[in-house]
Structures are given as structure tokens and as C-alpha cells.
Amino acid sequence: MSQVRCSGQCERAWQLGLIDSNNGEIVWSEHSTNSQLNKAIKTAMDSYNEGYCLIYCFDGHQIDEDTDYYTEKDIWEKHSPQILNFPPSLDHNSAKQHKNTNVNFNFIFIDSVSRHHFYRSLPKTVKMLDNINSQHNRRKDILLDYQLFQAVKSRTFETLQALFAGFIDPYKKPFRTQAMPDVKLDIDSMFGKLQSLDYHTLWVEDVCPYWEWGLSKDLHVYKKKLTKKQLWKKFKKSLKQSSIESVGNTFTSCGILSVNGHPDPFHGPEKLCYRGQHQHEYQLDYLKKYQTTMQGHNENYLSFFETNIGHEDHGLRVQFLDTALAEYVKFTQNLYHTITVIFSDHGNAYGSYIEESREGRLEAFHPFLFVIIPEDVQSMSLFSAAELNALIVNQQRLISVLDFHYTITYIIGKISGYEVMEPVSAFNQQFNVTEAGLLQVISEHRTCSLIPRVVPNLCICAGYDVTSEDHDFDFDFILAQHFVGVINNEIQSQRFSDLSKSVKGGNQINGVSDKGGFGKCSRLKVGTMKNIQTNKIDVSIY
């Protein structure tokens, strides 16, 4: 793009806002004519790599040269600047003479949407995906729909850690939702391998990096006491350490969310819009520009796009994604040498549907995974006939994101010239995964015992997690009595320990107050039992 067509007239002057790469501040420049504005934009596009610019007509409102966060917010709310996405800045004379023979990776991640909810809410996208495998489609692309994709946990961090780093520990106590993860999200484990192979890497998400969620949390960047400038520098440093070359137009999320009156998209308004477009439309538009540019220059890339549009209580907002996502799926058919992955981490984990129905609770652990293998990728000698067949067969086998991790690293290994890039770790061997992942047929007898599930977690297989109606109710009551007794013993033990250190009145027997372990409270007793679910594996109780 070399021209900007402006509808209407600006009586005073155009304001062009570009992010200062050194401190994250938006620097504004004034241009009295469309011609001057076009020239400034073209100059910025040739050397600028922050993903976008802002444009609005100057109406006499004074802009402070020391623009701070609040003044910037004021500009978004009072002037509604137009967002203009830039393609990535590449050397326009460096286009390779021959098409790159390596495969590109295109991840589309939709948070908090189950497989069933995807089919319920996105009919246009489903139809577009179905067309890929249609007998009327002359192309020989393959759409893979993994129907038994078991969630490892109903949270994003553990899912992405398993995807990128191949690690999830179902025995470790998870970090609290409001706390920072114990370790950083190890994006570099995958991105770094590809960057060393001369790949470009992109991460775009709809969360503001100046807030406490998204990449800012995953990479241990956010601290409330840090200034905007400090957060910017720390964020940029963490991106480099994670081998993320660009975050595209992610920072537009700060302004869009601010205008909508929310710091993040979670549990937010019924829709997130700006100047007549949904937030995800701006980001998918950027993704198209990025991939078109990379393709035009024969550059290899890994792109990761995350939308949290489904991360809300009612399950309705994701419907607004349908039209744009369907159009994007159609767009991907024009990308060569590109594997496209559309997936989620879990279903809706909050709201009345999960709280009031067993179906909702089960859906929380049944995400979706679609993989598009274009015809030209199939002919790249990356996969043998047996491996392609395994990809197809495994659509009906029980899998997790850990299997998919090894699928991707196996492909990366072939790209780099090694048969095996990442052998299965000693820890992961207990989950019966292989270094080939889904490129090797998985046993049809696999159960959730071999899936790394962080509790609480329901198995999506029929008959694995069952209700008390299938069991002896008396035995269930005995178990309930036992475990309530365990809780009582733990309460009493902790209180005895506290009283031993500091007894405030009462007689003491061996350093313990005779007031008892529960103080003024009664011991817990089993009241009623309902919605009992037991795991269909052998359990011994001592």
C-alpha cells in the first residue's frame, strides 16, 4: 500500500500518530494536506515496524508534547483516531528469487470455546472448513478435525506451556489465577528453534500489554508499580528473549479496550467494537497483511493469533467472530506452504451453563483442534504416506495438546535436517506420547489415564467419568464419610499446631489447649450428596 484515500475534508490539519520504539509513547505529527499525510505514511511504512499508525483530523485540541497514558486515553476517547495497519517492514529489494521450500506455521487460537460451542456458534466458519474436504473442491487440501481433543486444564497458561515447551505437570499445585505463573511461558522453546532457521515470528493478541493478562503475565512483565515506559522496555526485552520478532498491532488493544470501558476483554461488554469494526477484525486484517507480505517476499514465518472473544460468561459474544473468521479461513487457501491450526484450550469455564449442567462441565474440557494441510505441503516430502495416514486416523483417537507439541517439533526437526528434533522427555514418557506425535497412529484403546490432566478435570470419553447412578450409593457414602474425616483431621491438626505455639487461655495437655482443635466450630459432617463423579480407574484407599 502506498496511498491513503481520505474521505471528507479536514479543515485544520491531519494528525499522524506513530509509536516511539524506544519508550512506547505515541508521537504525533501534523500534516496540512492529504499529500503530506500520504508522504509521511509512506516514509513510515518503509522503515517502521510497530504494526500500525493512528490518524485523526486536528480540531484545535492541544496535544501535550509530554503525552502520558491518560492524555493518550483522552485522545482515543475524544478523537476516535483511525487505525491504519501497516504490513511488516522488509527490504523490498530482498525478495527471494525462488519460493521458499520450508513450511510456514499459522496458529489461530480462540480462548474458552469448546468443540461443541464452536459448531453451535460459528456456522459460516464451519461451512468454510467443510468446503475444504468437499468433493466439489478441486484442491486436494486436507482438513483434520480432531474430535477427541482432551483439555489438560481449563486454563490457557498450562495449555500453551504444553504446546510450546512440551511440559505439563498434572501433580503440581497450579498457581492461583490472580498470581503470576511460577515460571514464564516458554515460548522460546518453539519460536527460538524456528528463528534460528531464519523464520520470522509474530504474536498478535487482543489484550493490552500494559495490563496484567496475556503476554504481559505469561512473560512475568507486569508489575503495578512500573510506569508505562518501564513496562514497554521490559515487555520488549521479554519479547526478544522469547524469540518473538513482532507483536503486530497488539497495542491497539489498549485504546480499543479503553474506549469500551474495560481493561481487558474478559467478562467484558457484549461486543468489543471501535469505529464500526470488531476488535478481531482489526487484528485479522493485520494478520492478512503480514502473511501476504511474507509470502510476497518468500519469507518463512510462524504466526500466532489469540482472541479472547469467547472468554465471557454467556457464550454469545463469540458469534461475532463468525463472519471474519470464515473470510480468513478462505484467505488461508491462498497461502502456500502453510499449515494452519485453529484450536482452543478449553470450553467456557464460568457462567450458568457450566454451573448448572453436566454437559457444560464436560464441555469445559473438550476444546477443538482443526489442522489444514494444503496440497503443496503434502508434496514437500515432509510426510510419508504412513504419517499422513496417521494424521487422518488420529482424528478419532483420544489426544491432547502434548501430542500436538511433538507433532510440530517433529516437523521442525525435518525442516532442520534432523529426523528427531526433540526426543520424548523421561517425564513425558508416562503419558505414552512419541516424538512423532500425531504423525504416528495412536492406540484406539488409549484412555484418559495417559492424558496429563490437571485436576479438577473431566474425561471426555463416554463411560470414563460416571455418575453415582452407576455405582453402589452406600459405597459412595462411605467414601464421602472418609474424605470428610480426612478434612476434619487436617483442620484439627493445623489448629493444634497453632495452639502449641501460642495458647491463649485454657488448660494445656502436652502443649495443646483443652478447648479442642475446632475451637467454637463443629466438626464437618456429610449432609447430602449430588452430582457425584468418579474416575473409572482402580483406586486404593489406606
Side-chain angles (χ1 to χ4, degrees), residues 380-398:
M380 290 174 66
S381 301
L382 277 176
F383 312 120
S384 66
E387 289 170 341
L388 276 174
N389 180 65
L391 288 173
I392 295 171
V393 170
N394 287 332
Q395 293 178 97
Q396 305 293 332
R397 303 296 161 84
L398 182 65

Side-chain angles (χ1 to χ4, degrees), residues 255-523:
I256 293 176
L257 289 166
S258 174
V259 170
N260 280 272
H262 289 266
D264 56 56
F266 313 131
H267 315 290
E270 294 182 359
K271 54 185 177 180
L272 284 164
C273 294
Y274 181 72
R275 291 180 62 97
Q277 293 189 62
H278 293 284
Q279 182 182 15
H280 57 262
E281 292 181 278
Y282 287 101
Q283 297 184 313
L284 287 173
D285 174 72
Y286 178 84
L287 191 58
K288 290 177 183 178
K289 284 182 169 63
Y290 180 90
Q291 293 169 337
T292 299
T293 302
M294 291 298 169
Q295 179 171 283
H297 285 73
N298 297 317
E299 297 284 348
N300 282 122
Y301 62 87
L302 181 157
S303 59
F304 185 89
F305 166 63
E306 175 179 351
T307 174
N308 291 278
I309 189 172
H311 198 299
E312 51 92 24
D313 299 357
H314 304 294
L316 299 176
R317 195 173 64 186
V318 70
Q319 296 175 15
F320 292 117
L321 178 64
D322 194 23
T323 299
L325 184 59
E327 292 174 353
Y328 180 76
V329 170
K330 183 177 181 180
F331 165 82
T332 63
Q333 296 179 47
N334 297 318
L335 298 176
Y336 61 77
H337 292 176
T338 301
I339 295 175
T340 295
V341 180
I342 306 174
F343 74 113
S344 64
D345 48 355
H346 55 82
N348 201 317
Y350 20 74
S352 59
Y353 184 53
I354 185 174
E355 293 171 357
E356 299 173 4
S357 70
R358 187 172 187 275
E359 291 81 2
R361 290 191 293 275
L362 190 61
E363 279 194 26
F365 303 100
H366 194 176
F368 58 85
L369 172 63
F370 302 103
V371 182
I372 302 173
I373 311 289
E375 182 180 9
D376 61 358
V377 172
Q378 299 170 47
S379 62
M380 290 174 66
S381 301
L382 277 176
F383 312 120
S384 66
E387 289 170 341
L388 276 174
N389 180 65
L391 288 173
I392 295 171
V393 170
N394 287 332
Q395 293 178 97
Q396 305 293 332
R397 303 296 161 84
L398 182 65
I399 67 167
S400 78
V401 69
L402 191 61
D403 296 292
F404 193 61
H405 163 79
Y406 284 107
T407 308
I408 298 298
T409 56
Y410 186 78
I411 296 172
I412 295 174
K414 286 197 171 186
I415 293 171
S416 61
Y418 300 98
E419 281 301 315
V420 179
M421 170 66 81
E422 182 180 336
V424 176
S425 66
F427 184 84
N428 284 344
Q429 288 177 11
Q430 65 183 303
F431 305 122
N432 199 30
V433 293
T434 70
E435 63 270 4
L438 300 177
L439 292 163
Q440 182 172 323
V441 174
I442 293 171
S443 171
E444 61 182 331
H445 302 295
R446 192 186 209 183
T447 71
C448 283
S449 300
L450 295 174
I451 298 294
R453 299 189 295 156
V454 179
V455 295
N457 191 312
L458 290 178
C459 180
I460 62 175
C461 294
Y464 192 86
D465 288 327
V466 293
T467 66
S468 59
E469 297 173 359
D470 302 297
H471 288 280
D472 184 347
F473 185 81
D474 291 335
F475 181 67
D476 290 335
F477 185 76
I478 291 172
L479 287 178
Q481 291 278 29
H482 169 77
F483 289 116
V484 170
V486 170
I487 296 172
N488 281 329
N489 290 340
E490 182 65 22
I491 293 172
Q492 188 166 2
S493 174
Q494 290 182 17
R495 182 167 174 81
F496 276 9
S497 176
D498 293 340
L499 289 170
S500 297
K501 298 175 183 177
S502 177
V503 178
K504 299 179 180 179
N507 298 322
Q508 296 186 43
I509 302 175
N510 296 326
V512 179
S513 169
D514 62 0
K515 288 187 174 181
F518 282 75
K520 295 182 180 180
C521 299
S522 301
R523 292 175 64 86

Side-chain angles (χ1 to χ4, degrees), residues 62 126 143 281:
Q62 183 64 36
V126 170
L143 170 70
E281 292 181 278

Side-chain angles (χ1 to χ4, degrees), residues 25-26 28 54 61 67-81 228 254-263 274:
E25 298 289 352
I26 296 181
W28 296 93
L54 299 176
H61 177 78
T67 303
D68 60 18
Y69 182 72
Y70 299 101
T71 304
E72 180 182 323
K73 176 182 177 182
D74 185 63
I75 291 173
W76 277 90
E77 293 180 349
K78 289 188 175 182
H79 298 284
S80 298
K228 179 183 173 184
C254 302
I256 293 176
L257 289 166
S258 174
V259 170
N260 280 272
H262 289 266
Y274 181 72

Side-chain angles (χ1 to χ4, degrees), residues 151-289:
V152 294
K153 180 175 172 58
S154 58
R155 187 163 63 180
T156 302
F157 183 88
E158 286 82 0
T159 303
L160 295 186
Q161 192 76 301
L163 172 63
F164 297 130
F167 179 75
I168 181 169
D169 186 350
Y171 316 113
K172 183 179 180 181
K173 183 179 179 180
F175 64 91
R176 293 179 294 106
T177 302
Q178 298 298 327
M180 280 288 183
D182 297 334
V183 296
K184 293 181 181 181
L185 183 59
D186 188 7
I187 299 170
D188 179 64
S189 186
M190 182 178 290
F191 279 48
K193 289 183 177 73
L194 289 170
Q195 203 170 64
S196 68
L197 296 172
D198 202 27
Y199 274 67
H200 297 275
T201 55
L202 171 73
W203 185 296
V204 177
E205 63 181 20
D206 56 1
V207 181
C208 177
Y210 296 128
W211 188 232
E212 59 185 342
W213 299 104
L215 271 180
S216 192
K217 180 170 186 171
D218 295 337
L219 300 180
H220 289 192
V221 172
Y222 182 79
K223 283 188 178 180
K224 192 173 183 179
K225 65 180 181 180
L226 296 180
T227 65
K228 179 183 173 184
K229 182 177 180 180
Q230 290 172 327
L231 282 170
W232 170 271
K233 290 188 174 182
K234 189 176 180 183
F235 186 70
K236 284 289 187 173
K237 181 179 179 181
S238 294
L239 292 180
K240 187 174 182 180
Q241 292 171 342
S242 299
S243 300
I244 300 175
E245 181 182 58
S246 171
V247 291
N249 67 352
T250 292
F251 277 90
T252 61
S253 298
C254 302
I256 293 176
L257 289 166
S258 174
V259 170
N260 280 272
H262 289 266
D264 56 56
F266 313 131
H267 315 290
E270 294 182 359
K271 54 185 177 180
L272 284 164
C273 294
Y274 181 72
R275 291 180 62 97
Q277 293 189 62
H278 293 284
Q279 182 182 15
H280 57 262
E281 292 181 278
Y282 287 101
Q283 297 184 313
L284 287 173
D285 174 72
Y286 178 84
L287 191 58
K288 290 177 183 178
K289 284 182 169 63

